[in-house]
Amino acid sequence: MSEILFDRISKHYDKEETIKNLTLKIEDGEIISLLGPSGCGKTTTLKILAGLVNPDFGTVYMDGINVNPLPAEKRGAVIVFQDHRLFPHMTVGGNIEFGLRMQKVPKRTRREKVEEMLKFMELEEHGGKFPDQISGGQKQRAAIARSLIINPKVLLLDEPFSNLDQRLKEEMRSFIVEIQKKLKITTILVTHDKEDALMTSKKIGVMFQGELKQYGTPEELYEEPSSIEVAKFFGEVNEFSIDHEDEHRIHTYLGAFNKTRLSMKRGVYYSKLLVRPEAVEIYYEEHSENMISGLVMERIYAGEKTYYSILCGERILKASVVGNCHWNEGQRVFLKIEGKNTMLVK
C-alpha cells in the first residue's frame, strides 16, 4: 500500500501539453478513478507514476519519497493494460508466474504462490490453458493476477473493462472492488466510462485536455460540478443563462429561483443554471407558483424511466420520470423544477 502525490506534473509530446500542472493526492489503500475522454492524459498519468514515462516538470511522491529518479522496477507500481498483454505462448499459470521468475523466486515457492493466486482469482481450472482458450473476463483476471503476485504497492488499471460485454463488465467491476477491499492496495483506475468510475471508486478525478477539472466523490461531481463540461460528462443537463439576480432570487428563462435552494458561494459569479432532467416534475394542471407551461414533443419509454422533450416557449426542456408515465406527445403539461439536481456553474 502507498500514498501517492502528483505535485504539479506536466508532460509535453510534440510541443503539445498532454498533462498540464496536475496536482493530485491519493490516500493509502484508496481506490480512485481518472475519468475523461480519449486523449485527455489519463494513461500518460499512469505511465508517469509507474516510471514508464518521465514528466517534463513536477514530482511524483510515493509515501513522501520522490520517485522521479527511480526506474520502473524499483517503484512498486504495476499497470494492467486494456489489451491484457498476456504472453500467448505461456499458459495462464505461466503468465502469472512470470514476475516471480524475474525476481528469481525459488521454483517451489513460485508454484505455491501461483496456486494461491489462481484460487484467489477464481482461475483454478484455467491455470494450464493458454490465453486464446479463455474468455475476456478470465484474461483480465489473469493479467491482474500476474501484477498482484509480485506484491506491488500500487495497482494501475488502464481501461480494464473496455473489451468486455456488459455482463462481464458488471462482473469484473464487482470483482475488482472485492479484490481491492481484501488487499487494501492503493488502486488507480483509468476509464472513459462514467459508470465504471461511479461503480468502483469512492473518489473520481475528471480530466479534459490534460487538466484535472475536478476531484471529489461521485455525489460532489454529480450534484456540485465545477463546470458545464463536468456536469455534462455525468449526464444530460438543461442549460440556462442567468438573466439577473436580486437579494433573494436569481432570474432565468425558467423563472425565479430562491438562492437558499441553490448552493451559492459568496464572491463567486455564476453565469449558468443547470437542471438535470430528473429535477423536472410534470403535472396535468397548474397548482402552485413558478410552474411552467409546456407541450410534450417526444416521449421515450425506457423501462425504469420515461424520457420527455417538452417545448416551453422557444426552448426544449428535457425531463425524466421514474416508471411508465403517460403524458403523451402533443399534450399540454405543467412543469415544476425542484431544488435537488439544480445547480449553478461559473
Side-chain angles (χ1 to χ4, degrees):
M1 296 187 292
S2 191
E3 178 186 276
I4 308 298
L5 174 63
F6 294 95
D7 185 18
R8 294 167 290 181
I9 297 294
S10 293
K11 180 65 183 177
H12 296 77
Y13 284 114
D14 298 326
K15 298 183 180 180
E16 289 190 15
E17 201 168 18
T18 304
I19 300 178
K20 304 174 184 178
N21 198 34
L22 171 67
T23 295
L24 174 64
K25 183 178 181 181
I26 302 156
E27 301 293 342
D28 185 14
E30 194 172 37
I31 179 170
I32 71 114
S33 286
L34 293 180
L35 173 68
S38 298
C40 72
K42 307 184 301 294
T43 298
T44 300
T45 301
L46 291 194
K47 290 180 177 179
I48 287 174
L49 176 55
L52 303 179
V53 170
N54 294 320
D56 295 324
F57 303 99
T59 309
V60 179
Y61 294 94
M62 295 178 68
D63 291 328
I65 298 171
N66 176 4
V67 297
N68 282 22
L70 296 182
E73 62 271 17
K74 298 290 186 180
R75 296 194 182 190
V78 294
I79 297 184
V80 179
F81 290 99
Q82 61 179 300
D83 58 1
H84 316 307
R85 302 195 181 182
L86 297 173
F87 301 116
H89 62 286
M90 291 185 184
T91 63
V92 169
N95 269 280
I96 295 172
E97 183 187 20
F98 181 77
L100 298 178
R101 292 172 66 93
M102 294 298 98
Q103 293 178 343
K104 299 186 177 351
V105 174
K107 186 174 183 179
R108 181 174 179 178
T109 303
R110 293 201 309 264
R111 287 182 175 176
E112 290 174 353
K113 286 182 174 292
V114 169
E115 287 179 6
E116 289 174 4
M117 186 57 70
L118 285 169
K119 184 176 181 180
F120 182 70
M121 301 298 290
E122 300 178 6
L123 291 169
E124 304 103 305
E125 299 179 3
H126 307 288
K129 297 179 182 178
F130 289 92
D132 63 355
Q133 296 175 316
I134 58 177
S135 70
Q138 289 161 350
K139 288 177 184 176
Q140 190 65 268
R141 294 188 189 207
I144 293 171
R146 183 175 62 180
S147 297
L148 291 177
I149 202 167
I150 60 174
N151 295 318
K153 295 180 180 179
V154 182
L155 178 63
L156 310 175
L157 303 172
D158 183 23
E159 297 282 4
F161 315 117
S162 62
N163 296 323
L164 305 178
D165 62 33
Q166 187 61 34
R167 182 185 63 80
L168 282 176
K169 178 184 286 194
E170 292 172 1
E171 180 182 301
M172 279 305 301
R173 282 196 299 234
S174 298
F175 193 71
I176 285 175
V177 170
E178 182 182 344
I179 289 171
Q180 199 276 334
K181 283 182 178 178
K182 287 180 179 178
L183 300 180
K184 294 181 172 57
I185 183 172
T186 306
T187 303
I188 304 175
L189 184 149
V190 154
T191 181
H192 64 275
D193 188 326
K194 70 177 186 297
E195 191 173 87
D196 291 345
L198 291 169
M199 296 293 288
T200 58
S201 304
K202 300 296 184 183
K203 290 183 181 177
I204 300 169
V206 183
M207 296 183 70
F208 291 104
Q209 297 179 330
E211 293 185 79
L212 182 67
K213 295 295 186 179
Q214 190 172 354
Y215 183 62
T217 65
E219 291 85 357
E220 289 168 342
L221 294 169
Y222 190 80
E223 297 175 11
E224 299 179 38
S226 61
S227 65
I228 292 174
E229 57 188 349
V230 171
K232 288 182 176 179
F233 206 82
F234 279 85
E236 190 168 23
V237 290
N238 297 290
E239 178 184 336
F240 299 94
S241 297
I242 295 175
D243 297 330
H244 65 278
E245 62 177 278
D246 54 37
E247 184 178 356
H248 301 292
R249 296 181 297 179
I250 63 167
H251 298 265
T252 74
Y253 183 87
L254 292 176
F257 290 82
N258 291 329
K259 289 183 177 180
T260 54
R261 295 173 59 195
L262 303 168
S263 297
M264 299 192 71
K265 298 178 182 178
R266 289 186 177 181
V268 177
Y269 171 75
Y270 297 98
S271 63
K272 299 283 186 180
L273 174 74
L274 305 182
V275 179
R276 297 280 185 199
E278 57 266 35
V280 181
E281 299 178 350
I282 307 176
Y283 297 92
Y284 289 109
E285 298 177 349
E286 186 175 14
H287 61 77
S288 65
E289 294 182 352
N290 292 326
M291 295 191 77
I292 309 160
S293 174
L295 185 68
V296 177
M297 304 301 291
E298 183 179 49
R299 174 185 181 274
I300 299 174
Y301 172 68
E304 293 182 358
K305 288 187 176 182
T306 304
Y307 296 91
Y308 290 93
S309 295
I310 301 170
L311 180 64
C312 301
E314 298 178 353
R315 298 285 300 274
I316 291 290
L317 194 63
K318 299 289 186 178
S320 65
V321 183
V322 175
N324 184 11
C325 300
H326 295 286
W327 293 286
N328 297 312
E329 294 177 7
Q331 186 172 353
R332 178 66 59 179
V333 294
F334 293 88
L335 310 178
K336 184 177 181 180
I337 311 298
E338 64 164 334
K340 190 176 180 182
N341 293 323
T342 303
M343 61 211 84
L344 296 165
V345 294
K346 300 176 186 178

